[in-house]
Amino acid sequence: MHSTRTNIIRFTELDSTIDYALRNIDKLHDRDVVLAETQTKGRGRFDRKWISHIPDNIYISLVLKPAAETGEAESLMNISQLMSVSVCDVFETYGISAGLKWPNDVLVDGHKICGLLSRGILEGNRIRACILGIGINCNMERKDLQDINQPAVSMNIILGHPVDRDMLLECLLETFFRQYRPFLKEGFSLIREAYSEKSILLGRPIEVELPGRRITGTARGFSEHGSLVVASDSGEETEIRAGDVRCASVV
Amino acid sequence: MFGLKKKKKIDVMLTAFRDGFQSVYGARVLTEDFLPAIPAAMEAGIHHFEAGGGARFQSLFFYCNEDAFDMMDSFRETTGPDANLQTLARGVNVVGLDSQSSDIIKLHARLFKKHGITTIRNFDALNDVNNLDYSGRCISEAGLKHEICITLMGLPPGLEGSHTPEFYLDVLQKILDADIPFDSLCFKDASGTASPRTVYKTVKKARSKLPGKMPVRFHTHETAGISVNTTMAALEAGATGIDCSMAPCSGGTGQPDIAVIWHALKDTEFELDLDIDKLMKAENVFRDCMKDYIDFPEAARVEPMIFSSPMPGGALTANTQMMRDNGILDRYSEVIAAMPEVVERGGFGTSVTPVSQFYFQQAFNNVMAGKWKKIAEGYGKMVLGYFGRTPVPPDPQIMSLAREQLDLEPTDKCPRELNDEDPTKGTPAAEQLLQENGLPITEENTFIAATCKEKGIIFLNGDAVVNVRKKSGEEDKKTKKDYPEGIPPKPEDIRAFDVYVDGEYFKVEVNDPERPPLIRHYTPFPFTGTAYPGSASQIRSRTQTTLYNESDNGWECKEEPEKEGEVQVKTPLPGILLRCDKKAGETVKVGEVIAVIEAMKMNNNIDAPVDGKILKMKCKPGRNLDKGDIICIIEPT
C-alpha cells in the first residue's frame, strides 16, 4: 500500500542513515525519511566516505516500497536519476544552476554539492524496496570543504547566505514526489529530456572506468533505461550501465 | 562565483500603463498621452507590458470617453506583434465589479484575444478556485496564455486564521487538483502587505509543486514600504518574473520602480535583461507624457498604516480622495482602525478588488453609522456567499445581520451559475439594452453593455464626458498671469462671514474679492448599502468643502437657494449619474428611486425624500456630480 505523505524520522546522530534504514527496512514504511543531524560513517558510492559530521546539511535516506504486484518497482533502478533531476530543479529555485554527471552526481561548476546513493532490497530476483541516500552540502564552511577529496562546494557559499535546511528538504521531497508516481509507471523515459538538458557530459570526450577495463569516447546520449551511450572513436556505441566517468574538460 | 557565472534573467512585466495608472491616477489616463512612452520602454529591452484590464477597462468608457478595445488595438499597433501584452481579469467578474454569466466570461477571453492581447492574469479575491476554473478554461480555449493567480495579503496585527503559506499552497493544490490549464502562476499582493518571509516560503514551496519550467511571477505594491524586500524574497525563492512600473507611476501606491529593482539586484544571482541608460531615458519620456496629470500626495508615499487596513494601492487613493472631497479625511484613521474586525468577521477574503472595496465600505459604515448598524451591500452579499466561498466561513452573527438588512438568503451556489439563471445578466440582456438605445449589436457592444451597464450605454450614445484629472491649461495660464509666484497661502486674518440661506448656515471666508469664496456646509453620507435617501438639504451634519472653480461654470445642478415649497434632492456623495428613473412632471413617493449614481465603485440609489411632484430634473446621465449637486427639485404634496 502506498502512503501519500512523507514521514521524517529524526536522529541527532547516526552511523549513517542508509545503514539505519537497511537494518530497519522491515519496520520502515513507504516514504519514510530517515534524517540525521550528523553521521559518524557517512557513505558514498563504491564505499567512499561522505563527510557528514557537520550539522545543518542534508543527510537523509528515503525509503520507497512501491506495491510489488504492479511491476512498477522496476523503475526503482533509476530512482537516483529522478532524485538528481529533482535536486537540480530545487537548486534552480535558489538561483543555482547545477549540472548532472552520469549517473547521478550533481555538480556546480564542476564542484560536487550533492551525492546520491541507492540500495535495492531484493526479494528473489525482483526489487522489493529501495533506500535512497541523499547528502546535500547546504551550510558548510570553506575549511570543511577542503577536507573533501574532490572539488566541492556548498549552497551557502554559492549564495552568500545560510540556507534553511528544513525548507530545502520539504521542497526537495515535494518536487521528487510530484513526479514519483508517473516515474514508477514510465521509468527513465519520463525524465530523459530533463536529464539530458542538465547533463554536462553530452558531446564531450569522456573516459569510463569499468571494473577491469576502461572505455574512451564521446558521450552520445542516454538510453530509455538511463544508461550512458558512449561512442568510441571508431563510431562503435556502447551502453554503460555502471562505471565511474571522468571528463577532463569538466572536472 | 560558483554557479552564478550565468546570472538568472528575470522577466519583467511593465505595469506602468495599467496598474501604474490605476494606482496613481485612478485609472484615468488618455491613450494618446501615454503611447509615446511604449517605444521608449521597448528600446530599453522591455517586451512584456500590462496593457489593460482591471479598472483600465471600465475607466476608459467612464472617465476617458475612449473605447478600451481601441486602446488595446493602439497598444498592439505600437508594440508590434511580438510583445507579450497582458491584461488583468477578476475571475468571474472579468473586467467589471459584478460577476458575469458564462457567455460573457467566454466573450471576454475571445474579445481580448481579438484585440491583440497575449496573456490574461486571472484572479479571484476570495481565492475560490471555483471562480478561476471556468474563466481560466475560457482564456486557454481562446488561444491566450492563462496566468492563474493567487491573491495575497498580510493580516493586520493581532489577526490570524488565514493568509499563511499553507493557505496559499492549499489554494495552489486545489488549482492543480481541478486540472485547470495554465501557462504561468502569479502571486499577487495588491495591498503590498504580505511579509517577505511569507512570500519566500510560499513561492519556494509553490515551485516544488509545479513543473520545473512553469513560470512563477510575483506582483506587489510599494504602499507599505516593503515591495523591494518582498520582490527580493520572491526572486530568492525562485520566482521567474516580477512586475515593475516606471516613474511617475511607480513607488507609493504603485509597483516598485524598474530602475530601483535593477539597482537592488546588483551583485546578486539575478539580473533584469535591460539597458539601464535607455531605461532612464524611457522613464524621462514617460514623466514627460504624464506631466499634465495631477499627482496626489498619498499616491506617491509609503503609508505605514496600511498594514492594519490592508488597502490596495488603487483603492487607497480613490477612498482618500472621496473622503477629502467630503471633508471627512480626518476620520480616515478611524476607518482604517475598523478594518481588521471587518476582515476577520467577513471571512478573510483578500483585500483586492472588489473585496477591498467591500471592506472599506463596511469599515466606513461601522465608523459613521455605528458598529454593524448598516451592512454595506457588497460586504453583505459577500458574507452571504454571492461572490463564492470565503477562505474561512464568515461570522454567523454578521451573516444574519446581512440577511436581515439586505433581505437576502445565504447561498452556496457558484456565482456564475446564479448569473446564468439571472435574466438581467448575459448576452440577451445586454443585447436588449443595446436595442432599447438604438445601438448596433456587435460582440464588442454586447460586452461593453454587459460589463459597463448604463455607463457603457452613455459612452456608446456619445454622451460620455472626459473626467481626467489634469492640471488644466487655463489654470496654468491664470496662475502664471495672476500669481507669478503661485497661489498665496491663506492669511490667518482672513475675513469670515456667517451666511444664512433659508435657515441653512454657511461659513464664507473671503480674502480677495476677485477670488472665488470658500463655502462650507454640512451633510451626512454613510454607505447605506442598497439605497441612499436623497439628502434633502435640511439634514446637515458633517463638513463639506466646495471650492468653486471656473472649470465648473454653468452646471445647472450646482448649489442654488432652495425656494419656499420646494425640496431639492441632492447627491450625498460625489460620483457619476448613471441613470434617471423619473422625469420632470412625474409624481414620486417617499423612498422611490429617482436616480442612480455610482461612486466608490458602487451603485447608489437616490430615493425621494418626500412625496411630491418632480418640478425639474437638474442633470442628465453621464454627468459627474460633486457632493451636494442637485439632482432634481420636488414640490411636496
Side-chain angles (χ1 to χ4, degrees):
Chain A
M1 210 180 60
H2 301 294
S3 77
T4 50
R5 293 190 71 87
T6 50
N7 171 36
I8 300 179
I9 305 160
R10 291 169 186 269
F11 294 91
T12 315
E13 187 183 277
L14 279 179
D15 46 351
S16 87
T17 58
I18 208 160
D19 286 328
Y20 175 88
L22 280 167
R23 287 195 298 272
N24 296 282
I25 190 66
D26 292 334
K27 284 186 278 179
L28 291 169
H29 302 96
D30 187 38
R31 300 199 184 200
D32 276 353
V33 175
V34 181
L35 179 149
E37 293 298 332
T38 59
Q39 300 184 122
T40 52
K41 286 182 190 164
R43 290 215 263 152
R45 204 155 149 250
F46 303 129
D47 279 329
R48 290 171 189 146
K49 200 175 147 198
W50 184 263
I51 291 195
S52 46
H53 60 279
I54 299 147
D56 226 11
N57 289 288
I58 286 187
Y59 313 120
I60 59 165
S61 285
L62 174 60
V63 176
L64 299 169
K65 292 181 166 179
E69 64 275 14
T70 58
E72 292 178 343
E74 289 309 305
S75 300
L76 289 178
M77 294 281 288
N78 297 97
I79 202 73
S80 72
Q81 287 172 312
L82 172 65
M83 183 55 85
S84 68
V85 169
S86 304
V87 169
C88 287
D89 282 345
V90 173
F91 279 0
E92 200 276 324
T93 73
Y94 286 83
I96 297 174
S97 59
L100 294 176
K101 194 180 100 179
W102 185 88
N104 58 26
D105 275 353
V106 180
L107 303 176
V108 175
D109 289 344
H111 291 61
K112 185 134 174 162
I113 192 165
C114 164
L116 301 172
L117 183 65
S118 61
R119 286 277 180 279
I121 313 293
L122 303 176
E123 196 171 69
N125 56 357
R126 61 179 192 85
I127 301 177
R128 175 165 69 96
C130 166
I131 301 167
L132 180 56
I134 304 153
I136 297 177
N137 299 336
C138 310
N139 298 295
M140 305 271 279
E141 301 276 335
R142 279 178 195 277
K143 65 175 171 49
D144 299 323
L145 292 170
Q146 282 160 12
D147 295 341
I148 296 170
N149 63 357
Q150 60 171 305
V153 71
S154 171
M155 291 177 77
N156 61 317
I157 289 173
I158 297 169
L159 297 172
H161 58 76
V163 171
D164 179 336
R165 195 266 320 262
D166 285 351
M167 179 176 282
L168 173 73
L169 179 58
E170 274 181 52
C171 292
L172 180 62
L173 294 173
E174 180 93 42
T175 305
F176 175 83
F177 281 111
R178 177 166 48 77
Q179 296 203 84
Y180 176 63
R181 296 300 314 164
F183 185 85
L184 287 185
K185 283 199 175 65
E186 292 180 44
F188 182 78
S189 349
L190 181 80
I191 58 161
R192 189 163 162 185
E193 195 185 320
Y195 184 90
S196 305
E197 264 176 36
K198 293 176 170 74
S199 170
I200 57 171
L201 296 181
L202 287 186
R204 289 171 180 260
I206 53 166
E207 198 175 77
V208 188
E209 193 89 48
L210 297 172
R213 73 188 168 113
R214 181 179 291 185
I215 294 177
T216 55
T218 308
R220 267 281 175 267
F222 306 97
S223 77
E224 58 179 314
H225 304 295
S227 33
L228 173 67
V229 179
V230 182
S232 69
D233 296 341
S234 62
E236 189 196 343
E237 291 196 345
T238 314
E239 258 192 64
I240 313 287
R241 291 181 178 278
D244 208 9
V245 178
R246 267 197 297 277
C247 180
S249 57
V250 173
V251 179
Chain B
M1 227 187 318
F2 281 107
L4 309 177
K5 281 177 193 157
K6 266 189 262 162
K7 286 191 168 217
K8 185 172 162 186
K9 291 197 193 311
I10 301 302
D11 176 64
V12 176
M13 177 165 81
L14 190 71
T15 56
F17 312 126
R18 198 290 294 179
D19 207 348
F21 290 159
Q22 188 171 335
S23 296
V24 175
Y25 300 121
R28 304 177 189 191
V29 175
L30 305 176
T31 304
E32 59 172 12
D33 291 338
F34 76 83
L35 281 184
I38 298 173
M42 293 187 78
E43 185 71 15
I46 297 166
H47 303 286
H48 188 176
F49 296 93
E50 195 173 26
R56 281 284 293 170
F57 185 78
Q58 289 185 333
S59 70
L60 296 201
F61 300 102
F62 295 179
Y63 306 115
C64 302
N65 193 16
E66 279 186 30
D67 186 328
F69 292 116
D70 291 345
M71 183 275 285
M72 290 187 257
D73 291 340
S74 307
F75 210 119
R76 175 54 80 193
E77 206 177 299
T78 309
T79 60
D82 299 331
N84 183 355
L85 300 190
Q86 185 162 330
T87 59
L88 181 70
R90 300 161 177 152
V92 289
N93 309 337
V94 289
V95 287
L97 298 173
D98 253 358
S99 59
Q100 297 291 343
S101 55
S102 305
D103 50 355
I104 298 297
I105 295 169
K106 196 171 197 128
L107 185 58
H108 160 253
R110 196 165 72 239
L111 281 177
F112 276 53
K113 168 78 181 167
K114 179 175 167 186
H115 290 280
I117 297 309
T118 323
T119 308
I120 292 183
R121 177 178 293 169
N122 184 30
F123 79 90
D124 180 59
L126 300 180
N127 282 318
D128 182 344
V129 173
N130 215 2
N131 286 340
L132 297 173
D133 194 326
Y134 180 80
S135 55
R137 286 179 207 278
C138 288
I139 292 167
S140 284
E141 281 163 18
L144 291 154
K145 287 193 170 166
H146 176 212
E147 181 162 293
I148 204 160
C149 189
I150 295 173
T151 55
L152 317 181
M153 72 169 173
L155 293 182
L159 271 200
E160 50 185 56
S162 188
H163 294 274
T164 57
E166 292 70 31
F167 166 66
Y168 300 131
L169 292 161
D170 185 52
V171 177
L172 176 57
Q173 193 57 53
K174 284 184 181 138
I175 290 171
L176 294 169
D177 292 346
D179 215 12
I180 304 169
F182 62 94
D183 303 279
S184 54
L185 168 71
C186 173
F187 288 103
K188 172 183 167 71
D189 182 0
S191 53
T193 51
S195 73
R197 194 65 192 161
T198 298
V199 169
Y200 181 88
K201 283 188 180 174
T202 304
V203 173
K204 177 67 79 190
K205 291 190 183 166
R207 290 266 343 235
S208 315
K209 282 183 178 287
L210 296 167
K213 286 180 180 165
M214 175 65 72
V216 174
R217 308 189 56 86
F218 180 67
H219 168 102
T220 188
H221 290 248
E222 172 64 359
T223 328
I226 55 170
S227 70
V228 176
N229 309 51
T230 42
T231 300
M232 292 297 288
L235 291 176
E236 281 164 9
T240 59
I242 52 173
D243 288 2
C244 294
S245 191
M246 284 200 300
C249 292
S250 58
T253 47
Q255 273 69 55
D257 193 280
I258 188 165
V260 169
I261 297 294
W262 185 91
H263 184 69
L265 293 181
K266 271 184 185 170
D267 303 321
T268 67
E269 54 271 42
F270 312 106
E271 67 179 0
L272 308 182
D273 198 6
L274 296 169
D275 180 325
I276 188 66
D277 295 329
K278 288 180 179 168
L279 182 67
M280 299 316 282
K281 275 186 200 153
E283 297 234 5
N284 282 334
V285 171
F286 189 44
R287 271 182 213 274
D288 195 50
C289 289
M290 295 292 109
K291 68 177 188 303
D292 292 336
Y293 285 77
I294 297 172
D295 300 310
F296 295 104
E298 60 272 29
R301 65 181 170 224
V302 166
E303 172 53 67
M305 277 175 73
I306 211 71
F307 294 110
S308 45
S309 53
M311 180 66 59
L316 186 142
T317 42
N319 291 329
T320 51
Q321 270 314 108
M322 180 278 296
M323 293 186 79
R324 179 181 290 128
D325 288 349
N326 287 280
I328 49 168
L329 196 58
D330 57 324
R331 305 201 69 181
Y332 177 65
S333 55
E334 287 175 67
V335 176
I336 294 300
M339 290 276 284
E341 186 185 349
V342 167
V343 172
E344 184 177 28
R345 303 184 82 177
F348 288 105
T350 309
S351 189
V352 59
T353 311
V355 170
S356 48
Q357 214 48 22
F358 302 160
Y359 286 156
F360 184 84
Q361 288 161 354
Q362 190 57 52
F364 185 92
N365 283 1
N366 283 4
V367 169
M368 294 302 188
K371 254 191 186 185
W372 306 109
K373 289 279 183 284
K374 203 81 213 174
I375 299 286
E377 184 181 13
Y379 187 84
K381 281 184 165 174
M382 177 183 73
V383 298
L384 292 174
Y386 286 86
F387 287 89
R389 208 177 286 264
T390 52
V392 170
D395 187 328
Q397 215 184 327
I398 303 301
M399 283 177 72
S400 77
L401 280 174
R403 189 179 180 169
E404 280 165 29
Q405 292 188 23
L406 305 184
D407 193 19
L408 202 61
E409 288 304 306
T411 184
D412 52 10
K413 275 196 172 175
C414 105
R416 182 174 56 86
E417 282 166 18
L418 287 169
N419 295 339
D420 287 346
E421 293 162 13
D422 182 346
T424 68
K425 298 207 173 184
T427 307
E431 287 180 353
Q432 197 190 334
L433 194 58
L434 291 170
Q435 250 163 1
E436 283 167 3
N437 286 276
L439 291 163
I441 294 174
T442 64
E443 280 190 322
E444 282 81 358
N445 285 359
T446 302
F447 187 74
I448 293 165
T451 53
C452 303
K453 295 279 159 80
E454 293 90 347
K455 284 200 278 188
I457 299 299
I458 291 169
F459 167 82
L460 292 172
N461 276 328
D463 293 333
V465 284
V466 174
N467 181 10
V468 167
R469 289 151 177 169
K470 277 191 179 184
K471 303 160 193 159
S472 82
E474 260 183 42
E475 266 177 33
D476 278 358
K477 243 186 283 161
K478 189 169 169 23
T479 307
K480 276 177 202 139
K481 198 177 82 187
D482 295 353
Y483 313 109
E485 322 288 84
I487 296 172
K490 184 169 126 182
E492 273 183 23
D493 58 346
I494 193 162
R495 290 162 66 199
F497 295 86
D498 289 337
V499 177
Y500 301 87
V501 179
D502 287 347
E504 197 181 330
Y505 167 72
F506 293 86
K507 182 184 173 195
V508 181
E509 293 175 325
V510 180
N511 182 45
D512 180 341
E514 279 178 26
R515 288 177 62 211
L518 191 67
I519 299 176
R520 294 177 201 282
H521 69 140
Y522 299 90
T523 310
F525 79 111
F527 288 103
T528 51
T530 45
Y532 278 96
S535 85
S537 51
Q538 298 89 327
I539 324 155
R540 307 267 185 226
S541 72
R542 297 216 61 78
T543 307
Q544 180 217 12
T545 307
T546 311
L547 176 64
Y548 284 88
N549 67 45
E550 283 162 322
S551 61
D552 285 342
N553 59 3
W555 282 27
E556 54 176 355
C557 54
K558 286 293 160 196
E559 246 174 282
E560 58 182 55
E562 201 169 46
K563 289 180 197 148
E564 193 69 35
E566 288 180 5
V567 171
Q568 295 178 347
V569 179
K570 297 179 176 186
T571 167
L573 74 177
I576 185 165
L577 186 70
L578 282 186
R579 60 166 207 264
C580 297
D581 291 359
K582 296 284 172 190
K583 292 194 197 76
E586 287 185 279
T587 55
V588 288
K589 290 214 171 332
V590 171
E592 248 190 295
V593 179
I594 297 173
V596 179
I597 69 164
E598 199 231 46
M600 309 292 297
K601 299 182 176 181
M602 184 163 87
N603 288 0
N604 305 283
N605 293 347
I606 304 298
D607 297 347
V610 290
D611 289 352
K613 183 175 146 194
I614 296 184
L615 292 178
K616 195 173 179 189
M617 295 301 292
K618 300 286 277 185
C619 50
K620 65 174 197 168
R623 175 61 53 89
N624 285 297
L625 300 174
D626 287 332
K627 182 188 162 196
D629 284 350
I630 303 162
I631 290 168
C632 70
I633 293 171
I634 298 178
E635 182 185 44
T637 48

